[in-house]
Structures are given as C-alpha cells and as structure tokens.
Amino acid sequence: RTTGEELDRRFVRGIGRFARARCLIREPVKLQHPFFLQPERHARGRVTGLQRSAARLMMSDMPDDHLLLILLHHPPVVMHAEAKIASLIDGDQIMNEWCNARVDLVLSGHIHEQFLLPFRSSGEHVTWALNAGTATSSRLRRGYPNSFNTIRTQASETSTDSRKVEIERYDYRPDDNCFALASQRQIGADSLTT
C-alpha cells in the first residue's frame, strides 16, 4: 500500500526535479502520421506477430523522406549482456525487420541506461537505438548521472529531408545543480557519420 508521503516523494518531487531541464525543451513534438500499437503486457515487453505485420504495412506506405520513429518501453537491443533479460523479446529479430523497413530511430527506456547504438541488417540502412537514461529518479545504473535526450530533425527550407537528426544528451551536474550538454551526435538516414 502506498502512503501519501511516498506518493509525494515518488511523483510530485520527481516531477519537480524535472523542472531543472524544462528550459531545454524547445518545442513540442509534431507527428504527421502517428500509428500506435499497444504491446502485450509482459515483464520483458512483447510485440506480437500481428502487431509486427501491421507496423510493416504502415511503414511501407510512408514516403521515403519521412523520419520513421518507433517508441517502446523495453529496449530491443542493449549495450551490456546482463541487461538482455530486461530487453524486448525477440528484439534482435524485430530490429532486423525494422531496419529492413527503413526505420530511422527506435526510442526506449526501462533499464535506466543511456546509449545510442547503430543497428544494421543485411542492407545498407542503419537504424539507431536510443535508450533513455534516468532523468529525475535516483535509480541510476553503472555510474551514469541523471540524463535525458533531445531529438531534432534537420529539415530546412532548402531541404525536405527530415531524416537527418541531431541527438543531444544532457547530464545532470550536481555541483552546478543543472543539466548540461554532454554529447551531441548527428545521424543521417543511412549514415554512421557523426
């Protein structure tokens, strides 16, 4: 049973800690063709075959210049072998499917470990897996500080290609009592360049 004090500690104060990062949020997300699948509830996360087929069909209709993002709770791939137990069931196989469907970026969390990993199937396309760290919680892993990511498309007036993306990671610096830019990476639709 959860007490009022525990609710205050976990939710109200947790959200309050996020206020340190609020000034870094530049604009809201704008989705052109949202498509939502509710994964089956499972300790490791599961996307069914029917859901995978529906997602493939939807993605096949997307224009080539559209950025394709997938957002999951459980990461399909992980950096450390011991975190595999908390990853998406059949994650490597699903990442292969999504890479072949030209998905650009897969966003996830769950394991409280920050990383950005390239995934390449048999073709040339690269799908990036971006896992969130821990923005405000004290559940830190492997010595990582509190952190969060920002994602910006690089489309401009002279280019309609929204598949070029800038990813920034901000880490919390306790001495300064603020988040500061820790890394910045530019990724292209089919590029491993930084």
PDB file of all heavy atoms in Angstrom, residues 35-70:
ATOM      1  N   PHE A  35       0.954   6.148 -35.617  1.00  0.00           N
ATOM      2  CA  PHE A  35       0.382   4.808 -35.684  1.00  0.00           C
ATOM      3  C   PHE A  35       0.758   4.146 -34.369  1.00  0.00           C
ATOM      4  O   PHE A  35       1.938   4.062 -34.042  1.00  0.00           O
ATOM      5  CB  PHE A  35       0.982   4.046 -36.866  1.00  0.00           C
ATOM      6  CG  PHE A  35       0.492   2.641 -36.993  1.00  0.00           C
ATOM      7  CD1 PHE A  35      -0.776   2.378 -37.492  1.00  0.00           C
ATOM      8  CD2 PHE A  35       1.296   1.585 -36.617  1.00  0.00           C
ATOM      9  CE1 PHE A  35      -1.227   1.076 -37.613  1.00  0.00           C
ATOM     10  CE2 PHE A  35       0.857   0.281 -36.737  1.00  0.00           C
ATOM     11  CZ  PHE A  35      -0.406   0.028 -37.242  1.00  0.00           C
ATOM     12  N   PHE A  36      -0.207   3.714 -33.601  1.00  0.00           N
ATOM     13  CA  PHE A  36       0.063   3.212 -32.264  1.00  0.00           C
ATOM     14  C   PHE A  36      -0.268   1.729 -32.154  1.00  0.00           C
ATOM     15  O   PHE A  36      -1.328   1.291 -32.582  1.00  0.00           O
ATOM     16  CB  PHE A  36      -0.747   3.986 -31.222  1.00  0.00           C
ATOM     17  CG  PHE A  36      -0.421   5.447 -31.203  1.00  0.00           C
ATOM     18  CD1 PHE A  36      -1.221   6.356 -31.865  1.00  0.00           C
ATOM     19  CD2 PHE A  36       0.703   5.908 -30.547  1.00  0.00           C
ATOM     20  CE1 PHE A  36      -0.913   7.702 -31.875  1.00  0.00           C
ATOM     21  CE2 PHE A  36       1.023   7.248 -30.549  1.00  0.00           C
ATOM     22  CZ  PHE A  36       0.213   8.154 -31.211  1.00  0.00           C
ATOM     23  N   LEU A  37       0.660   0.999 -31.575  1.00  0.00           N
ATOM     24  CA  LEU A  37       0.445  -0.405 -31.234  1.00  0.00           C
ATOM     25  C   LEU A  37       0.664  -0.542 -29.737  1.00  0.00           C
ATOM     26  O   LEU A  37       1.661  -0.056 -29.214  1.00  0.00           O
ATOM     27  CB  LEU A  37       1.459  -1.313 -31.940  1.00  0.00           C
ATOM     28  CG  LEU A  37       1.379  -1.411 -33.451  1.00  0.00           C
ATOM     29  CD1 LEU A  37       2.542  -2.243 -33.963  1.00  0.00           C
ATOM     30  CD2 LEU A  37       0.069  -2.019 -33.873  1.00  0.00           C
ATOM     31  N   GLN A  38      -0.250  -1.185 -29.064  1.00  0.00           N
ATOM     32  CA  GLN A  38      -0.077  -1.430 -27.635  1.00  0.00           C
ATOM     33  C   GLN A  38       0.538  -2.815 -27.472  1.00  0.00           C
ATOM     34  O   GLN A  38      -0.127  -3.810 -27.722  1.00  0.00           O
ATOM     35  CB  GLN A  38      -1.433  -1.357 -26.917  1.00  0.00           C
ATOM     36  CG  GLN A  38      -1.356  -1.672 -25.440  1.00  0.00           C
ATOM     37  CD  GLN A  38      -0.513  -0.656 -24.682  1.00  0.00           C
ATOM     38  OE1 GLN A  38      -0.628   0.537 -24.910  1.00  0.00           O
ATOM     39  NE2 GLN A  38       0.313  -1.135 -23.796  1.00  0.00           N
ATOM     40  N   PRO A  39       1.827  -2.895 -27.102  1.00  0.00           N
ATOM     41  CA  PRO A  39       2.443  -4.209 -26.921  1.00  0.00           C
ATOM     42  C   PRO A  39       1.740  -5.005 -25.824  1.00  0.00           C
ATOM     43  O   PRO A  39       1.111  -4.437 -24.942  1.00  0.00           O
ATOM     44  CB  PRO A  39       3.883  -3.892 -26.505  1.00  0.00           C
ATOM     45  CG  PRO A  39       4.104  -2.494 -26.942  1.00  0.00           C
ATOM     46  CD  PRO A  39       2.768  -1.819 -26.866  1.00  0.00           C
ATOM     47  N   GLU A  40       1.842  -6.326 -25.932  1.00  0.00           N
ATOM     48  CA  GLU A  40       1.312  -7.173 -24.871  1.00  0.00           C
ATOM     49  C   GLU A  40       2.048  -6.870 -23.589  1.00  0.00           C
ATOM     50  O   GLU A  40       3.248  -6.581 -23.589  1.00  0.00           O
ATOM     51  CB  GLU A  40       1.528  -8.646 -25.211  1.00  0.00           C
ATOM     52  CG  GLU A  40       0.565  -9.192 -26.209  1.00  0.00           C
ATOM     53  CD  GLU A  40       0.738 -10.691 -26.357  1.00  0.00           C
ATOM     54  OE1 GLU A  40       1.609 -11.303 -25.692  1.00  0.00           O
ATOM     55  OE2 GLU A  40      -0.007 -11.261 -27.152  1.00  0.00           O
ATOM     56  N   ARG A  41       1.334  -6.934 -22.500  1.00  0.00           N
ATOM     57  CA  ARG A  41       1.960  -6.691 -21.202  1.00  0.00           C
ATOM     58  C   ARG A  41       2.803  -7.910 -20.825  1.00  0.00           C
ATOM     59  O   ARG A  41       2.307  -9.025 -20.777  1.00  0.00           O
ATOM     60  CB  ARG A  41       0.870  -6.439 -20.169  1.00  0.00           C
ATOM     61  CG  ARG A  41       1.356  -5.702 -18.997  1.00  0.00           C
ATOM     62  CD  ARG A  41       0.163  -5.240 -18.165  1.00  0.00           C
ATOM     63  NE  ARG A  41       0.610  -4.971 -16.841  1.00  0.00           N
ATOM     64  CZ  ARG A  41       1.109  -3.802 -16.472  1.00  0.00           C
ATOM     65  NH1 ARG A  41       1.173  -2.831 -17.341  1.00  0.00           N
ATOM     66  NH2 ARG A  41       1.525  -3.619 -15.250  1.00  0.00           N
ATOM     67  N   HIS A  42       4.063  -7.679 -20.612  1.00  0.00           N
ATOM     68  CA  HIS A  42       4.997  -8.754 -20.292  1.00  0.00           C
ATOM     69  C   HIS A  42       6.195  -8.126 -19.585  1.00  0.00           C
ATOM     70  O   HIS A  42       6.564  -6.992 -19.884  1.00  0.00           O
ATOM     71  CB  HIS A  42       5.435  -9.464 -21.574  1.00  0.00           C
ATOM     72  CG  HIS A  42       6.211 -10.716 -21.331  1.00  0.00           C
ATOM     73  ND1 HIS A  42       7.544 -10.713 -21.029  1.00  0.00           N
ATOM     74  CD2 HIS A  42       5.825 -12.011 -21.339  1.00  0.00           C
ATOM     75  CE1 HIS A  42       7.952 -11.957 -20.866  1.00  0.00           C
ATOM     76  NE2 HIS A  42       6.937 -12.761 -21.056  1.00  0.00           N
ATOM     77  N   ALA A  43       6.807  -8.863 -18.682  1.00  0.00           N
ATOM     78  CA  ALA A  43       7.942  -8.321 -17.926  1.00  0.00           C
ATOM     79  C   ALA A  43       9.063  -7.840 -18.851  1.00  0.00           C
ATOM     80  O   ALA A  43       9.753  -6.882 -18.547  1.00  0.00           O
ATOM     81  CB  ALA A  43       8.480  -9.367 -16.960  1.00  0.00           C
ATOM     82  N   ARG A  44       9.231  -8.505 -19.992  1.00  0.00           N
ATOM     83  CA  ARG A  44      10.290  -8.113 -20.926  1.00  0.00           C
ATOM     84  C   ARG A  44       9.753  -7.309 -22.097  1.00  0.00           C
ATOM     85  O   ARG A  44      10.523  -6.828 -22.905  1.00  0.00           O
ATOM     86  CB  ARG A  44      11.000  -9.352 -21.463  1.00  0.00           C
ATOM     87  CG  ARG A  44      11.942  -9.949 -20.450  1.00  0.00           C
ATOM     88  CD  ARG A  44      12.756 -11.060 -21.028  1.00  0.00           C
ATOM     89  NE  ARG A  44      13.512 -10.633 -22.198  1.00  0.00           N
ATOM     90  CZ  ARG A  44      14.022 -11.484 -23.065  1.00  0.00           C
ATOM     91  NH1 ARG A  44      13.850 -12.778 -22.920  1.00  0.00           N
ATOM     92  NH2 ARG A  44      14.704 -11.048 -24.100  1.00  0.00           N
ATOM     93  N   GLY A  45       8.478  -7.192 -22.236  1.00  0.00           N
ATOM     94  CA  GLY A  45       7.917  -6.497 -23.384  1.00  0.00           C
ATOM     95  C   GLY A  45       7.815  -7.435 -24.572  1.00  0.00           C
ATOM     96  O   GLY A  45       8.740  -8.192 -24.853  1.00  0.00           O
ATOM     97  N   ARG A  46       6.684  -7.414 -25.224  1.00  0.00           N
ATOM     98  CA  ARG A  46       6.474  -8.309 -26.359  1.00  0.00           C
ATOM     99  C   ARG A  46       5.656  -7.580 -27.414  1.00  0.00           C
ATOM    100  O   ARG A  46       4.649  -6.964 -27.113  1.00  0.00           O
ATOM    101  CB  ARG A  46       5.727  -9.556 -25.909  1.00  0.00           C
ATOM    102  CG  ARG A  46       5.412 -10.505 -27.048  1.00  0.00           C
ATOM    103  CD  ARG A  46       4.659 -11.721 -26.597  1.00  0.00           C
ATOM    104  NE  ARG A  46       5.482 -12.462 -25.656  1.00  0.00           N
ATOM    105  CZ  ARG A  46       4.993 -13.297 -24.746  1.00  0.00           C
ATOM    106  NH1 ARG A  46       3.706 -13.474 -24.633  1.00  0.00           N
ATOM    107  NH2 ARG A  46       5.793 -13.942 -23.932  1.00  0.00           N
ATOM    108  N   VAL A  47       6.122  -7.656 -28.656  1.00  0.00           N
ATOM    109  CA  VAL A  47       5.369  -7.160 -29.801  1.00  0.00           C
ATOM    110  C   VAL A  47       4.954  -8.409 -30.580  1.00  0.00           C
ATOM    111  O   VAL A  47       5.806  -9.185 -31.008  1.00  0.00           O
ATOM    112  CB  VAL A  47       6.217  -6.214 -30.677  1.00  0.00           C
ATOM    113  CG1 VAL A  47       5.411  -5.726 -31.867  1.00  0.00           C
ATOM    114  CG2 VAL A  47       6.732  -5.036 -29.856  1.00  0.00           C
ATOM    115  N   THR A  48       3.651  -8.618 -30.751  1.00  0.00           N
ATOM    116  CA  THR A  48       3.154  -9.842 -31.389  1.00  0.00           C
ATOM    117  C   THR A  48       3.420  -9.829 -32.888  1.00  0.00           C
ATOM    118  O   THR A  48       3.682  -8.777 -33.491  1.00  0.00           O
ATOM    119  CB  THR A  48       1.636  -9.995 -31.165  1.00  0.00           C
ATOM    120  OG1 THR A  48       0.958  -8.963 -31.889  1.00  0.00           O
ATOM    121  CG2 THR A  48       1.274  -9.944 -29.690  1.00  0.00           C
ATOM    122  N   GLY A  49       3.311 -10.999 -33.493  1.00  0.00           N
ATOM    123  CA  GLY A  49       3.479 -11.119 -34.939  1.00  0.00           C
ATOM    124  C   GLY A  49       2.461 -10.281 -35.690  1.00  0.00           C
ATOM    125  O   GLY A  49       2.790  -9.649 -36.707  1.00  0.00           O
ATOM    126  N   LEU A  50       1.224 -10.249 -35.213  1.00  0.00           N
ATOM    127  CA  LEU A  50       0.181  -9.448 -35.847  1.00  0.00           C
ATOM    128  C   LEU A  50       0.531  -7.951 -35.775  1.00  0.00           C
ATOM    129  O   LEU A  50       0.380  -7.221 -36.756  1.00  0.00           O
ATOM    130  CB  LEU A  50      -1.172  -9.716 -35.175  1.00  0.00           C
ATOM    131  CG  LEU A  50      -2.375  -9.005 -35.768  1.00  0.00           C
ATOM    132  CD1 LEU A  50      -2.584  -9.412 -37.225  1.00  0.00           C
ATOM    133  CD2 LEU A  50      -3.628  -9.310 -34.952  1.00  0.00           C
ATOM    134  N   GLN A  51       1.017  -7.512 -34.629  1.00  0.00           N
ATOM    135  CA  GLN A  51       1.420  -6.114 -34.481  1.00  0.00           C
ATOM    136  C   GLN A  51       2.609  -5.788 -35.380  1.00  0.00           C
ATOM    137  O   GLN A  51       2.667  -4.722 -35.978  1.00  0.00           O
ATOM    138  CB  GLN A  51       1.772  -5.821 -33.022  1.00  0.00           C
ATOM    139  CG  GLN A  51       0.559  -5.817 -32.111  1.00  0.00           C
ATOM    140  CD  GLN A  51       0.955  -5.714 -30.658  1.00  0.00           C
ATOM    141  OE1 GLN A  51       1.964  -6.272 -30.230  1.00  0.00           O
ATOM    142  NE2 GLN A  51       0.149  -5.004 -29.894  1.00  0.00           N
ATOM    143  N   ARG A  52       3.550  -6.715 -35.482  1.00  0.00           N
ATOM    144  CA  ARG A  52       4.710  -6.505 -36.340  1.00  0.00           C
ATOM    145  C   ARG A  52       4.288  -6.399 -37.803  1.00  0.00           C
ATOM    146  O   ARG A  52       4.783  -5.552 -38.547  1.00  0.00           O
ATOM    147  CB  ARG A  52       5.725  -7.629 -36.135  1.00  0.00           C
ATOM    148  CG  ARG A  52       6.423  -7.496 -34.794  1.00  0.00           C
ATOM    149  CD  ARG A  52       7.010  -8.759 -34.276  1.00  0.00           C
ATOM    150  NE  ARG A  52       8.121  -9.267 -35.052  1.00  0.00           N
ATOM    151  CZ  ARG A  52       8.819 -10.347 -34.701  1.00  0.00           C
ATOM    152  NH1 ARG A  52       8.524 -10.992 -33.595  1.00  0.00           N
ATOM    153  NH2 ARG A  52       9.795 -10.770 -35.449  1.00  0.00           N
ATOM    154  N   SER A  53       3.347  -7.235 -38.220  1.00  0.00           N
ATOM    155  CA  SER A  53       2.833  -7.172 -39.597  1.00  0.00           C
ATOM    156  C   SER A  53       2.124  -5.852 -39.859  1.00  0.00           C
ATOM    157  O   SER A  53       2.310  -5.238 -40.911  1.00  0.00           O
ATOM    158  CB  SER A  53       1.871  -8.338 -39.863  1.00  0.00           C
ATOM    159  OG  SER A  53       2.551  -9.556 -39.793  1.00  0.00           O
ATOM    160  N   ALA A  54       1.300  -5.420 -38.914  1.00  0.00           N
ATOM    161  CA  ALA A  54       0.581  -4.153 -39.072  1.00  0.00           C
ATOM    162  C   ALA A  54       1.567  -2.987 -39.171  1.00  0.00           C
ATOM    163  O   ALA A  54       1.390  -2.080 -39.995  1.00  0.00           O
ATOM    164  CB  ALA A  54      -0.377  -3.942 -37.895  1.00  0.00           C
ATOM    165  N   ALA A  55       2.608  -3.010 -38.349  1.00  0.00           N
ATOM    166  CA  ALA A  55       3.614  -1.940 -38.384  1.00  0.00           C
ATOM    167  C   ALA A  55       4.360  -1.951 -39.722  1.00  0.00           C
ATOM    168  O   ALA A  55       4.601  -0.894 -40.305  1.00  0.00           O
ATOM    169  CB  ALA A  55       4.592  -2.095 -37.221  1.00  0.00           C
ATOM    170  N   ARG A  56       4.727  -3.124 -40.221  1.00  0.00           N
ATOM    171  CA  ARG A  56       5.423  -3.227 -41.518  1.00  0.00           C
ATOM    172  C   ARG A  56       4.558  -2.651 -42.642  1.00  0.00           C
ATOM    173  O   ARG A  56       5.034  -1.919 -43.502  1.00  0.00           O
ATOM    174  CB  ARG A  56       5.763  -4.689 -41.837  1.00  0.00           C
ATOM    175  CG  ARG A  56       7.089  -5.142 -41.304  1.00  0.00           C
ATOM    176  CD  ARG A  56       7.532  -6.464 -41.916  1.00  0.00           C
ATOM    177  NE  ARG A  56       6.535  -7.510 -41.826  1.00  0.00           N
ATOM    178  CZ  ARG A  56       6.383  -8.322 -40.778  1.00  0.00           C
ATOM    179  NH1 ARG A  56       7.153  -8.193 -39.724  1.00  0.00           N
ATOM    180  NH2 ARG A  56       5.468  -9.259 -40.781  1.00  0.00           N
ATOM    181  N   LEU A  57       3.270  -2.980 -42.617  1.00  0.00           N
ATOM    182  CA  LEU A  57       2.346  -2.477 -43.636  1.00  0.00           C
ATOM    183  C   LEU A  57       2.252  -0.954 -43.576  1.00  0.00           C
ATOM    184  O   LEU A  57       2.327  -0.278 -44.599  1.00  0.00           O
ATOM    185  CB  LEU A  57       0.965  -3.108 -43.442  1.00  0.00           C
ATOM    186  CG  LEU A  57      -0.108  -2.699 -44.442  1.00  0.00           C
ATOM    187  CD1 LEU A  57       0.288  -3.131 -45.851  1.00  0.00           C
ATOM    188  CD2 LEU A  57      -1.444  -3.309 -44.053  1.00  0.00           C
ATOM    189  N   MET A  58       2.122  -0.415 -42.377  1.00  0.00           N
ATOM    190  CA  MET A  58       2.035   1.025 -42.205  1.00  0.00           C
ATOM    191  C   MET A  58       3.327   1.704 -42.676  1.00  0.00           C
ATOM    192  O   MET A  58       3.296   2.704 -43.381  1.00  0.00           O
ATOM    193  CB  MET A  58       1.765   1.357 -40.729  1.00  0.00           C
ATOM    194  CG  MET A  58       1.586   2.825 -40.409  1.00  0.00           C
ATOM    195  SD  MET A  58       3.091   3.797 -40.115  1.00  0.00           S
ATOM    196  CE  MET A  58       3.963   2.851 -38.917  1.00  0.00           C
ATOM    197  N   MET A  59       4.464   1.140 -42.320  1.00  0.00           N
ATOM    198  CA  MET A  59       5.749   1.747 -42.676  1.00  0.00           C
ATOM    199  C   MET A  59       6.006   1.681 -44.180  1.00  0.00           C
ATOM    200  O   MET A  59       6.643   2.568 -44.739  1.00  0.00           O
ATOM    201  CB  MET A  59       6.893   1.090 -41.910  1.00  0.00           C
ATOM    202  CG  MET A  59       6.870   1.456 -40.433  1.00  0.00           C
ATOM    203  SD  MET A  59       8.251   0.777 -39.499  1.00  0.00           S
ATOM    204  CE  MET A  59       7.721  -0.903 -39.221  1.00  0.00           C
ATOM    205  N   SER A  60       5.486   0.670 -44.844  1.00  0.00           N
ATOM    206  CA  SER A  60       5.707   0.546 -46.286  1.00  0.00           C
ATOM    207  C   SER A  60       5.003   1.650 -47.063  1.00  0.00           C
ATOM    208  O   SER A  60       5.378   1.953 -48.189  1.00  0.00           O
ATOM    209  CB  SER A  60       5.252  -0.832 -46.783  1.00  0.00           C
ATOM    210  OG  SER A  60       3.834  -0.929 -46.717  1.00  0.00           O
ATOM    211  N   ASP A  61       3.993   2.281 -46.458  1.00  0.00           N
ATOM    212  CA  ASP A  61       3.261   3.368 -47.110  1.00  0.00           C
ATOM    213  C   ASP A  61       3.859   4.752 -46.842  1.00  0.00           C
ATOM    214  O   ASP A  61       3.376   5.746 -47.373  1.00  0.00           O
ATOM    215  CB  ASP A  61       1.797   3.376 -46.649  1.00  0.00           C
ATOM    216  CG  ASP A  61       1.024   2.194 -47.212  1.00  0.00           C
ATOM    217  OD1 ASP A  61       1.462   1.637 -48.235  1.00  0.00           O
ATOM    218  OD2 ASP A  61      -0.015   1.837 -46.633  1.00  0.00           O
ATOM    219  N   MET A  62       4.888   4.834 -46.014  1.00  0.00           N
ATOM    220  CA  MET A  62       5.481   6.132 -45.668  1.00  0.00           C
ATOM    221  C   MET A  62       6.372   6.638 -46.799  1.00  0.00           C
ATOM    222  O   MET A  62       7.125   5.866 -47.383  1.00  0.00           O
ATOM    223  CB  MET A  62       6.341   6.017 -44.398  1.00  0.00           C
ATOM    224  CG  MET A  62       5.558   5.900 -43.128  1.00  0.00           C
ATOM    225  SD  MET A  62       4.671   7.411 -42.768  1.00  0.00           S
ATOM    226  CE  MET A  62       3.022   6.763 -42.674  1.00  0.00           C
ATOM    227  N   PRO A  63       6.309   7.927 -47.090  1.00  0.00           N
ATOM    228  CA  PRO A  63       7.237   8.495 -48.084  1.00  0.00           C
ATOM    229  C   PRO A  63       8.684   8.319 -47.620  1.00  0.00           C
ATOM    230  O   PRO A  63       8.973   8.326 -46.424  1.00  0.00           O
ATOM    231  CB  PRO A  63       6.854   9.981 -48.105  1.00  0.00           C
ATOM    232  CG  PRO A  63       5.467  10.047 -47.549  1.00  0.00           C
ATOM    233  CD  PRO A  63       5.367   8.913 -46.573  1.00  0.00           C
ATOM    234  N   ASP A  64       9.591   8.168 -48.575  1.00  0.00           N
ATOM    235  CA  ASP A  64      11.000   7.917 -48.253  1.00  0.00           C
ATOM    236  C   ASP A  64      11.648   9.031 -47.456  1.00  0.00           C
ATOM    237  O   ASP A  64      12.608   8.798 -46.733  1.00  0.00           O
ATOM    238  CB  ASP A  64      11.812   7.679 -49.529  1.00  0.00           C
ATOM    239  CG  ASP A  64      11.530   6.313 -50.137  1.00  0.00           C
ATOM    240  OD1 ASP A  64      10.998   5.443 -49.426  1.00  0.00           O
ATOM    241  OD2 ASP A  64      11.846   6.127 -51.327  1.00  0.00           O
ATOM    242  N   ASP A  65      11.164  10.266 -47.589  1.00  0.00           N
ATOM    243  CA  ASP A  65      11.811  11.376 -46.889  1.00  0.00           C
ATOM    244  C   ASP A  65      11.267  11.605 -45.482  1.00  0.00           C
ATOM    245  O   ASP A  65      11.680  12.531 -44.807  1.00  0.00           O
ATOM    246  CB  ASP A  65      11.719  12.664 -47.704  1.00  0.00           C
ATOM    247  CG  ASP A  65      10.280  13.149 -47.869  1.00  0.00           C
ATOM    248  OD1 ASP A  65       9.344  12.373 -47.610  1.00  0.00           O
ATOM    249  OD2 ASP A  65      10.104  14.313 -48.272  1.00  0.00           O
ATOM    250  N   HIS A  66      10.353  10.745 -45.019  1.00  0.00           N
ATOM    251  CA  HIS A  66       9.806  10.882 -43.667  1.00  0.00           C
ATOM    252  C   HIS A  66      10.681  10.152 -42.655  1.00  0.00           C
ATOM    253  O   HIS A  66      11.138   9.043 -42.910  1.00  0.00           O
ATOM    254  CB  HIS A  66       8.386  10.314 -43.586  1.00  0.00           C
ATOM    255  CG  HIS A  66       7.344  11.266 -44.066  1.00  0.00           C
ATOM    256  ND1 HIS A  66       7.367  11.834 -45.313  1.00  0.00           N
ATOM    257  CD2 HIS A  66       6.251  11.748 -43.452  1.00  0.00           C
ATOM    258  CE1 HIS A  66       6.331  12.619 -45.468  1.00  0.00           C
ATOM    259  NE2 HIS A  66       5.632  12.595 -44.352  1.00  0.00           N
ATOM    260  N   LEU A  67      10.897  10.774 -41.530  1.00  0.00           N
ATOM    261  CA  LEU A  67      11.617  10.157 -40.429  1.00  0.00           C
ATOM    262  C   LEU A  67      10.705   9.121 -39.791  1.00  0.00           C
ATOM    263  O   LEU A  67       9.578   9.418 -39.406  1.00  0.00           O
ATOM    264  CB  LEU A  67      11.989  11.232 -39.394  1.00  0.00           C
ATOM    265  CG  LEU A  67      12.741  10.768 -38.161  1.00  0.00           C
ATOM    266  CD1 LEU A  67      14.143  10.309 -38.538  1.00  0.00           C
ATOM    267  CD2 LEU A  67      12.807  11.894 -37.138  1.00  0.00           C
ATOM    268  N   LEU A  68      11.175   7.894 -39.695  1.00  0.00           N
ATOM    269  CA  LEU A  68      10.387   6.829 -39.082  1.00  0.00           C
ATOM    270  C   LEU A  68      10.925   6.552 -37.683  1.00  0.00           C
ATOM    271  O   LEU A  68      12.079   6.144 -37.520  1.00  0.00           O
ATOM    272  CB  LEU A  68      10.440   5.548 -39.918  1.00  0.00           C
ATOM    273  CG  LEU A  68       9.769   5.612 -41.288  1.00  0.00           C
ATOM    274  CD1 LEU A  68       9.888   4.275 -42.002  1.00  0.00           C
ATOM    275  CD2 LEU A  68       8.311   6.002 -41.165  1.00  0.00           C
ATOM    276  N   LEU A  69      10.089   6.784 -36.689  1.00  0.00           N
ATOM    277  CA  LEU A  69      10.436   6.569 -35.288  1.00  0.00           C
ATOM    278  C   LEU A  69       9.538   5.500 -34.699  1.00  0.00           C
ATOM    279  O   LEU A  69       8.346   5.457 -34.995  1.00  0.00           O
ATOM    280  CB  LEU A  69      10.192   7.840 -34.468  1.00  0.00           C
ATOM    281  CG  LEU A  69      10.983   9.079 -34.774  1.00  0.00           C
ATOM    282  CD1 LEU A  69      10.469  10.232 -33.933  1.00  0.00           C
ATOM    283  CD2 LEU A  69      12.440   8.852 -34.481  1.00  0.00           C
ATOM    284  N   ILE A  70      10.112   4.704 -33.843  1.00  0.00           N
ATOM    285  CA  ILE A  70       9.332   3.749 -33.056  1.00  0.00           C
ATOM    286  C   ILE A  70       9.679   4.004 -31.604  1.00  0.00           C
ATOM    287  O   ILE A  70      10.850   4.147 -31.251  1.00  0.00           O
ATOM    288  CB  ILE A  70       9.639   2.297 -33.467  1.00  0.00           C
ATOM    289  CG1 ILE A  70       9.133   2.061 -34.892  1.00  0.00           C
ATOM    290  CG2 ILE A  70       9.019   1.321 -32.476  1.00  0.00           C
ATOM    291  CD1 ILE A  70       9.319   0.674 -35.409  1.00  0.00           C
TER     292      ILE A  70
END
